Amino acid sequence: MENTGMNTAPVSSGATPVPTATAVAVAVAPVAPMVPAVPAAPVAPQAPAEAPDLVTVPTRQGLEAVDIIRRAASRAGGVGPVLHDGSGDTLGFLVPPGTADAWDMPGSACTQTNGRGMRFGDASPTAGDTGWLLPPEAVGPVTDPEVLRAALGEAARLIEAADNCR
């Protein structure tokens, strides 16, 4: 049966098709082994996963950084999801929550998303020229901030060297 993105009920039920949800949590807590529940013990609600922060850089530097991280097999975690904003000519790297509190890399900005606009099931998160360069389902959950910081620094040096050769 082909998945059309709609929940459907048998025609005889009279139910109207309803679009399936496309939002996916960004960070996933580790899965704990299943433990039999004790009926008398109350079950505490599970806190929602924290939304990632977003490091925004100029597209040229960001593309270099993506290549640097991908080439360096020894860099822990690799590169996570990356957004491309064609209208603003920037790339956005998803990084762990809390990164914005201590981010101080010149030429970039790190902001808390607080989950705003994070719809990972969409092919293009927003209208226009914005879309996933590296979608969440194709890469790791987030980019390690220290790995990103090193790659952005190396990318800036490579770009400066290339520009000075002209």
Side-chain angles (χ1 to χ4, degrees), residues 20-70:
T20 57
T22 57
V24 176
V26 176
V28 178
V31 177
M34 300 245 343
V35 178
V38 177
V43 178
Q46 193 172 18
E50 287 186 76
D53 289 349
L54 184 72
V55 172
T56 308
V57 298
T59 298
R60 186 175 178 200
Q61 184 181 11
L63 291 172
E64 278 294 335
V66 167
D67 286 343
I68 290 165
I69 295 170
R70 288 184 132 187

Side-chain angles (χ1 to χ4, degrees), residues 8-131:
T8 57
V11 176
S12 63
S13 73
T16 304
V18 178
T20 57
T22 57
V24 176
V26 176
V28 178
V31 177
M34 300 245 343
V35 178
V38 177
V43 178
Q46 193 172 18
E50 287 186 76
D53 289 349
L54 184 72
V55 172
T56 308
V57 298
T59 298
R60 186 175 178 200
Q61 184 181 11
L63 291 172
E64 278 294 335
V66 167
D67 286 343
I68 290 165
I69 295 170
R70 288 184 132 187
R71 282 193 311 257
S74 64
R75 299 205 183 192
V79 68
V82 178
L83 281 168
H84 177 246
D85 178 7
S87 61
D89 202 27
T90 60
L91 287 186
F93 292 82
L94 294 183
V95 293
T99 301
D101 296 337
W103 189 261
D104 61 353
M105 184 84 182
S108 67
C110 186
T111 56
Q112 296 175 340
T113 65
N114 296 324
R116 293 182 305 256
M118 306 305 284
R119 291 188 180 90
F120 293 139
D122 296 344
S124 180
T126 60
D129 294 334
T130 300

Side-chain angles (χ1 to χ4, degrees), residues 111-161:
T111 56
Q112 296 175 340
T113 65
N114 296 324
R116 293 182 305 256
M118 306 305 284
R119 291 188 180 90
F120 293 139
D122 296 344
S124 180
T126 60
D129 294 334
T130 300
W132 291 112
L133 176 68
L134 296 173
E137 62 273 3
V139 292
V142 291
T143 302
D144 179 284
E146 293 307 313
V147 169
L148 180 58
R149 185 184 312 276
L152 289 172
E154 186 176 339
R157 290 186 295 278
L158 288 171
I159 291 168
E160 182 180 4

